[in-house]
Every structure is written in C-alpha cells, then in structure tokens.
Amino acid sequence: MLKVHSIETFGTHDGPGIRLVVFVQGCQFRCLYCHNPDTQLADNPRAKLMSTQDIVALLERQRGYMGSNGGLTVSGGEPSLQVDGVTELLAAAQAAGFHTAVDTNGAFFDDRVKQLYHHADLVMLDVKHIDDDWHRRLTGKSNESVLQCAQFREESGCPLWLRYVLVPGWTDQPEMIQRWAEHFCRYQTVEKVEVLPYHTIGKKKYIALGKKYPLEGVEPPQPEAVNDVRLILSRYFASVS
Ligand code: SF4
C-alpha cells in the first residue's frame, strides 16, 4: 500500500505526454522553497492509502487519452521514502504497457532504489545544488546520495532528465550553475534539463500549517534571469527548457 497525498489525472508537466501523476506522502528533505510542505511528513492523516491495483485501475481508465508517450509518474513528497510500494507500482504499470516515470530528489540510494529505477522508463532527478554545503543549507541534507543516484542511472544507460530549481540568492550563482553543468555534461543518458523558476505559490500553505515561510522576502526570478541560466546550460546540454 502507498500513502498518497494527491493524484493529478491529466498531468502535462511531469514527464512526456499526458500522465497520471501520483504524489506520494513524505519526504526526507526540507527544502526552503518547498511549495508542498503538507507532503513532507511521512504521516499525514489526510494521506490516502492506495494499493497498486487501485492506481493501475485509474491508469486503465485513462489509457485512451494518454497516447503513445503518456503514462504514470510517481512524484511527491519523495517516492524513495516508500521505495518498495513505488517499485511494485511501477513494475505493475510497466507490465500493463504504460510508460513509467519517477520524479525524485535522490535523497536515498541503495539496492532497493536501484530496483525502483529498474522499473522507471524515465528518472527525473532534482539536483538542487552542486555544492554540498549549499545543498545542506537549502534542503537540510547532503547531495551525496543525489549524485550517486545520477551516476547509477548513467551507468544503467537509461533515460534521465535533470531538474534545477532556480532560486534567487540560493541557486543562481553562475559559477555554481557552471559547476553543475560540468558535472553532468558528459552523461550520455541526460535527455533533457529543466530549469524550474522558484515561485511563492506554496506560501499560503505554510500559513495554514502555522509555520513561518522560510524564504520570506525572496522573489521569483525575473524571466531574463531564467533565460540567462538556460543559456548557460545550453552550452552543455542539447535540450534545455
Ligand atoms: S524534495 Fe520536494 S517535496 Fe521534498 S522538501 Fe524538497 S521541494 Fe518539498
């Protein structure tokens, strides 16, 4: 059984085509910019328990709309926190002929995560900062396992998308973006790099949870700044959006 925070039935932002996106409950990170703080705790009484069969049944209902490249994406929260259940779900969806993707922060790496990746046709890995100190300050955890996840995916030869959240004052240092790009630019499996501009849509959720918003005063990046970062990354990667 999976603890599910929510489900999006016609997702178009988390992988190719039209997708069923399952947001699972719980996350090991505490990103300062997290726009879904209600997904972070492993135990949330509002999370719904769903079986693999429940979710595959939802997929079947959408099969006709998904086209040839749509399918299932498991996001979060963080899928690796429920690694066995997510692996079972991805394997079942694959067996039923659906394209499978996982959107992960790479917070955890071991043999069970390798199995999870084995059943993901696409891994979308968020590499939030290339510098470990900055990564710890931004997320509360080291980036060591994140880089191990990326390396493992590269060695497996299977598709990988890299995601980078652009946060003014935190992840927009040009030398760090260059270092990030240099780390991954020789990877053969990277099909795409996505730059995701920081936004403040989640602010009201912190207020509702009685929490202080961690990035008070930080404004979303200007479109020009986002373009500049995409330009830097375009020197290293064939597909940047
Ligand atoms: S990894 Fe995602 S869900 Fe987890 S804290 Fe960071 S932004 Fe939030």
Side-chain angles (χ1 to χ4, degrees):
M1 296 293 265
L2 281 177
K3 285 183 210 164
V4 174
H5 173 271
S6 53
I7 285 188
E8 187 179 357
T9 46
F10 286 88
T12 53
H13 300 292
D14 294 296
I18 295 172
R19 312 191 69 82
L20 182 80
V21 186
V22 177
F23 297 93
V24 292
Q25 180 69 37
C27 183
Q28 306 92 327
F29 284 3
R30 292 292 178 268
C31 302
L32 298 179
Y33 55 73
C34 182
H35 64 278
N36 283 320
D38 49 330
T39 66
Q40 291 176 351
L41 290 179
D43 287 311
N44 176 345
R46 296 176 70 178
K48 191 175 169 191
L49 281 179
M50 293 184 79
S51 69
T52 290
Q53 291 72 24
D54 294 334
I55 297 170
V56 172
L58 289 178
L59 276 167
E60 289 293 359
R61 264 188 244 158
Q62 276 189 243
R63 192 187 281 271
Y65 300 99
M66 285 178 165
S68 56
N69 61 348
L72 169 70
T73 296
V74 183
S75 182
E78 166 52 30
S80 67
L81 201 62
Q82 301 185 59
V83 59
D84 294 332
V86 171
T87 303
E88 181 188 296
L89 171 60
L90 293 174
Q94 268 187 335
F98 294 98
H99 179 274
T100 59
V102 64
D103 175 20
T104 175
N105 64 17
F108 183 53
F109 181 69
D110 70 356
D111 285 344
R112 292 184 303 160
V113 172
K114 291 180 184 175
Q115 271 306 305
L116 188 158
Y117 280 23
H118 178 67
H119 290 290
D121 297 313
L122 171 66
V123 171
M124 293 179 282
L125 180 67
D126 301 305
V127 184
K128 296 168 187 291
H129 216 295
I130 196 63
D131 183 86
D132 197 41
D133 285 342
W134 275 98
H135 194 279
R136 287 171 191 269
R137 290 168 61 196
L138 190 64
T139 71
K141 300 276 186 192
S142 166
N143 67 7
E144 188 181 351
S145 62
V146 184
L147 301 182
Q148 286 174 329
C149 286
Q151 180 68 32
F152 173 73
R153 189 64 174 179
E154 170 67 3
E155 286 163 7
S156 73
C158 299
L160 174 65
W161 291 7
L162 296 174
R163 295 179 138 186
Y164 191 71
V165 182
L166 184 65
V167 192
W170 285 87
T171 67
D172 61 348
Q173 311 94 327
E175 70 281 9
M176 292 295 180
I177 294 163
Q178 198 163 326
R179 205 170 122 195
W180 189 101
E182 283 167 358
H183 185 95
F184 297 112
C185 66
R186 280 176 210 83
Y187 277 34
Q188 301 294 309
T189 54
V190 176
E191 291 183 342
K192 188 172 179 181
V193 173
E194 293 184 315
V195 179
L196 310 173
Y198 159 75
H199 58 71
T200 54
I201 294 169
K203 201 168 172 177
K204 56 184 179 301
K205 293 188 184 175
Y206 286 82
I207 294 164
L209 291 168
K211 289 182 170 180
K212 187 173 176 291
Y213 186 61
L215 291 185
E216 192 61 60
V218 177
E219 296 297 326
Q222 295 295 319
E224 300 76 28
V226 179
N227 282 341
D228 287 348
V229 172
R230 289 186 174 133
L231 268 178
I232 295 175
L233 294 173
S234 298
R235 292 189 215 127
Y236 296 87
F237 302 97
S239 176
V240 177
S241 62

